[in-house]
């Protein structure tokens, strides 16, 4: 947490207030991302994210993700990872309210209804950040698999 004078309770309250906007923006942003990449039927990323893993994985394997574009890229890949995990294991986007958690006050996925994920919650943006900062060649599937059983 940045030193902004914001207490953990204040941070959590702010992030909770922003959660509806996050939830409503993620799918249109993810669709537009896939559309901009020229994917066939980009709207289907919202229905069956698994179909797009190979294209994303191979498309960004050797990409130069510079500092200027990193936040933009991490946001979109994070949305994708979250939707991918939800589609495979059931679950939801949540706000991590556990102050002892490394992902406290972050938007995470959890409440999985199917087995296969190592932890109760997963921070897709932490995975996306790690993926984006990995030297080429990088492998999206491998980064995602680090949280799977």
């Amino acid at each position: 947490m940045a030193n902004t004078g914001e207490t953990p309770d204040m941070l959590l309250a702010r992030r909770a207030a922003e959660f509806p906007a996050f939830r409503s923006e993620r799918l249109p942003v993810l669709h537009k991302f896939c559309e901009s990449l020229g994917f066939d039927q980009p709207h289907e990323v919202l229905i069956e994210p698994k179909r797009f893993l190979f294209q994303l994985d191979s498309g960004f394997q050797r990409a130069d993700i510079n500092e200027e574009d990193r936040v933009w890229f991490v946001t979109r890949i994070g949305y994708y990872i979250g939707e991918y995990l939800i589609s495979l294991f059931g679950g939801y986007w949540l706000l991590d309210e556990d102050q002892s958690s490394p992902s406290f006050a972050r938007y995470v996925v959890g409440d999985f209804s199917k087995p296969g994920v190592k932890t109760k919650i997963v921070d897709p943006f932490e995975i996306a950040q790690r993926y984006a900062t990995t030297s080429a060649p990088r492998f999206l599937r491998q980064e995602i698999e680090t949280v799977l059983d």
Side-chain angles (χ1 to χ4, degrees):
M1 177 171 69
N3 186 9
T4 61
E6 198 172 40
T7 67
D9 288 340
M10 292 166 60
L11 172 63
L12 189 60
R14 179 175 57 79
R15 296 291 286 169
E18 295 168 348
F19 192 53
F22 166 83
R23 291 193 49 173
S24 66
E25 88 171 359
R26 76 189 194 291
L27 295 180
V29 168
L30 187 54
H31 172 258
K32 190 112 177 128
F33 177 56
C34 290
E35 190 176 60
S36 73
L37 295 171
F39 290 173
D40 187 39
Q41 300 179 319
H43 65 280
E44 292 202 4
V45 73
L46 312 176
I47 302 163
E48 195 176 356
K50 182 172 67 172
R51 261 192 59 211
F52 293 81
L53 181 58
F54 176 78
Q55 288 175 281
L56 289 169
D57 201 3
S58 59
F60 290 108
Q61 203 170 75
R62 298 196 180 283
D64 177 26
I65 304 166
N66 62 45
E67 194 70 37
E68 293 171 3
D69 297 328
R70 190 163 296 142
V71 170
W72 182 90
F73 181 77
V74 166
T75 299
R76 281 139 186 86
I77 292 295
Y79 287 154
Y80 174 78
I81 293 168
E83 295 302 320
Y84 177 83
L85 292 172
I86 288 168
S87 74
L88 289 182
F89 302 104
Y92 304 93
W93 284 97
L94 310 163
L95 175 60
D96 186 351
E97 297 179 5
D98 180 358
Q99 288 191 18
S100 67
S101 170
S103 57
F104 170 67
R106 293 181 56 119
Y107 304 134
V108 297
V109 292
D111 283 349
F112 300 108
S113 61
K114 299 175 189 167
V117 182
K118 290 179 183 176
T119 57
K120 290 173 67 168
I121 62 164
V122 173
D123 183 346
F125 300 102
E126 189 273 326
I127 297 170
Q129 180 68 30
R130 190 172 58 237
Y131 173 68
T133 57
T134 298
S135 300
R138 66 183 62 78
F139 301 94
L140 183 57
R141 178 183 300 273
Q142 286 179 354
E143 288 297 338
I144 293 171
E145 287 175 352
T146 63
V147 299
L148 306 180
D149 284 333

